[in-house]
Amino acid sequence: MHDDHRTSLRVARRRLIEALRAGEYRHEAREALAEKNMLAVGRVTPEEVVRLLRRCRGEQHGTSPHHADRELVVHEFKPYASGRKWYVKAYFRGSTAWFISVHPGEE
């Protein structure tokens, strides 16, 4: 199981980074978009999200089914950067990454 989790982290991180660099990403509509998805509103850049993803270690990654479509696997990354925990949540539909959250954690 532990090796599967590391593989899941590496594969999801690589796919998200590729999607960010290729511009193949979208944002899920949600309340409080400006606070909960800083990438969607331009408060962080795709390259900043790439840096956050690269900082993430195995214990800072998890998966869960999407609340509206249980077939979709949502990846949640919780890296630390500049002394803060960040949340990056996304899933894939084909080669397109869909970002749900990109924001620092509440402290």
Side-chain angles (χ1 to χ4, degrees):
M1 177 68 176
H2 191 65
D3 286 337
D4 290 342
H5 184 74
R6 279 195 303 238
T7 300
S8 174
L9 165 68
R10 284 194 301 265
V11 170
R13 180 173 46 206
R14 178 184 50 79
R15 288 186 67 200
L16 283 174
I17 289 170
E18 288 172 357
L20 285 162
R21 289 192 168 151
E24 291 183 27
Y25 62 93
R26 306 271 184 273
H27 305 285
E28 187 170 281
R30 65 176 297 175
E31 290 186 34
L33 186 67
E35 293 83 28
K36 297 296 185 180
N37 191 339
M38 294 171 66
L39 178 63
V41 297
R43 292 178 58 203
V44 297
T45 66
E47 192 53 44
E48 288 172 310
V49 178
V50 167
R51 284 194 294 274
L52 288 170
L53 291 168
R54 286 195 168 144
R55 293 186 64 87
C56 200
R57 301 296 169 246
E59 69 278 0
Q60 299 167 325
H61 170 258
T63 61
S64 62
H66 190 279
H67 68 278
D69 181 348
R70 309 292 288 169
E71 297 296 314
L72 293 174
V73 176
V74 175
H75 293 271
E76 184 172 339
F77 298 85
K78 297 179 184 178
Y80 282 88
S82 302
R84 301 184 82 178
K85 183 188 328 188
W86 281 77
Y87 292 93
V88 177
K89 287 175 74 173
Y91 60 90
F92 299 96
R93 284 190 187 269
S95 63
T96 302
W98 285 82
F99 284 87
I100 300 169
S101 298
V102 178
H103 64 89
E106 295 79 30
E107 310 233 359

